[in-house]
Amino acid sequence: MAISKSEVEHIAKLARLKFTEEEIEAMAQELSKILDYVNKLNELDTENVEPTAHIVPIHNVFREDEVKPSMPREKVLMNAPFTEQGCFKVPKIIE
């Protein structure tokens, strides 16, 4: 699949890149080679391959959520340099 110079220029514009004419030509050839290589995957027989199949069996490793008591708020905030209304207070960094 051949990539044209205008397609490379469009991609470069989207990526905010500037290329010389020589670089655009080289990039068109390189991208064409990459797409040709990826297109070889269409030659594979995937008839009996399940979607998202894995070599090893995958099991759900999540545990059930259980409500447990947490630390008291006062203890959590005890070493905080600044607190306000029971929460951590951090300095403003965005103007």
Side-chain angles (χ1 to χ4, degrees), residues 1-88:
M1 176 178 210
I3 298 290
S4 67
K5 288 172 47 175
S6 64
E7 289 172 318
V8 172
E9 290 169 346
H10 179 69
I11 294 168
K13 181 180 177 185
L14 292 175
R16 297 183 182 192
L17 299 172
K18 289 187 179 182
F19 293 120
T20 64
E21 283 299 318
E22 296 82 24
E23 291 173 326
I24 290 173
E25 184 65 37
M27 191 66 65
Q29 292 175 6
E30 289 292 321
L31 289 173
S32 295
K33 288 178 185 178
I34 291 169
L35 289 177
D36 289 340
Y37 185 76
V38 171
N39 201 27
K40 287 186 176 190
L41 293 174
N42 290 331
E43 299 173 11
L44 294 174
D45 179 21
T46 58
E47 186 67 32
N48 296 322
V49 178
E50 295 180 32
T52 65
H54 297 276
I55 295 173
V56 295
I58 296 178
H59 302 286
N60 189 354
V61 295
F62 298 119
R63 61 173 170 74
E64 292 295 322
D65 288 336
E66 297 176 19
V67 178
K68 295 181 180 179
S70 61
M71 293 177 65
R73 183 179 293 197
E74 295 78 25
K75 188 173 182 179
V76 172
L77 297 173
M78 186 171 52
N79 291 325
F82 304 106
T83 61
E84 184 176 290
Q85 299 177 2
C87 299
F88 292 101

Side-chain angles (χ1 to χ4, degrees), residues 83-95:
T83 61
E84 184 176 290
Q85 299 177 2
C87 299
F88 292 101
K89 185 174 179 182
V90 295
K92 183 178 177 181
I93 58 170
I94 299 176
E95 296 181 24

